[in-house]
Amino acid sequence: MKRVEKVGEESNINKENLIKAIGDLFAGGTETTSTTILWTILYFLHHPDKQTRCYKEIQDIIGSGRLPSMKDRPSMPYTQAVVHEVLRIVNIGVFGLPHSVDEDIIFHGYHMPKGTVVIPNLDSVLSDDKIWGDPDVFRPDRFLDENGQLVKREEFIPFSMGRRICLAEYMAKMELFLFMTTLMQRFEFKPVDPDNLPTLKGVFGITHAPSKYEVRAIPR
Ligand code: HEM
């Protein structure tokens, strides 16, 4: 910014844009990850076997004596599969962000004049029976191959797709891996009342978030 100012160049690299970009990072970067963590814990309350399997992987690869690090991630396909399955099933950014077409186009027979607002429905892919078979079932194994390794599926689009895909996809996955493994290494999550589990029905706001719930975090 200083260099551009110094040479007096006409540029968008200015204070106004810097403030907006920082605002975008805060807005896009806080609720998204924290909401996904809340969903993961909620799904663990409903699927304790999956929590146990993640904890076993943590014990096998990291143990209890040190913090998880990104170097551990490639050796922990099940934990990664859990993160993927939570992102798929809860789809926190249901309608992505609105975009508009910058020229007249015809798409699948529909004429869209320049300026038409387009709102992608990510859920139509993430919950498609034809793609996933049982989209309403929480099944992290769908992201593992027969050797237990993580598989990339092109229909996995919680971060949207194309040129305006979430610019923090890699960072968000990194945060989710580190936060979740650190939490699970230290706590076991249990329901307050096992006969009355908190609902998996979410609330739609800026993101698709879980309804408020209580959980017991028991130190390991
Ligand atoms: C679980 C985590 C996250 C999910 C599921 C998610 C999902 C999304 C989605 C669906 C979009 C819309 C893409 C489109 O317009 O087609 C988006 C955009 C964006 N996200 Fe994320 N996001 C996550 C985390 C983050 C984090 C951690 C940051 C920042 C540190 C972030 C910053 C942004 C920004 C700035 C945009 C707008 C990009 C643009 O318009 O070019 N997101 N995200």
Side-chain angles (χ1 to χ4, degrees), residues 31 35-36 38-39 42 90-92 200-212:
E31 182 165 332
T35 301
T36 310
L38 288 177
W39 275 120
L42 182 57
V90 306
N91 184 19
I92 61 162
L200 288 171
K201 210 167 164 331
V203 194
F204 288 93
I206 301 172
T207 56
H208 175 224
S211 309
K212 204 169 174 183

Side-chain angles (χ1 to χ4, degrees), residues 53-54 56-62 66 69-81 144 147-150 177 181:
R53 207 167 142 192
C54 270
K56 186 173 177 312
E57 196 173 62
I58 292 171
Q59 282 304 301
D60 289 349
I61 306 295
I62 308 168
R66 64 168 177 90
S69 96
M70 283 305 287
K71 287 200 194 106
D72 301 313
R73 193 167 70 169
S75 321
M76 299 178 66
Y78 188 71
T79 307
Q80 290 188 73
L144 298 178
N147 302 316
Q149 292 308 307
L150 192 74
F177 173 79
T181 45

Side-chain angles (χ1 to χ4, degrees), residues 21 23-37 87 91-99 120 122 157-169 171-173 175-176 207:
D24 282 353
L25 290 178
F26 271 101
T30 46
E31 182 165 332
T32 45
T33 345
S34 60
T35 301
T36 310
I37 292 171
L87 285 166
N91 184 19
I92 61 162
V94 195
F95 294 117
L97 289 174
H99 294 282
L122 304 181
I157 55 158
F159 296 94
S160 193
M161 59 200 296
R163 292 172 73 174
R164 299 302 290 272
I165 188 171
C166 174
L167 83 177
E169 174 180 8
M171 193 181 98
K173 284 189 188 155
E175 284 183 337
L176 290 171
T207 56

Side-chain angles (χ1 to χ4, degrees), residues 4 29 38 40 46 66-67 79 104 128 138 162-163 184 195:
V4 168
L38 288 177
T40 311
H46 284 256
R66 64 168 177 90
L67 285 172
T79 307
D104 286 17
D128 189 341
F138 181 67
R163 292 172 73 174
M184 280 187 285
D195 298 325

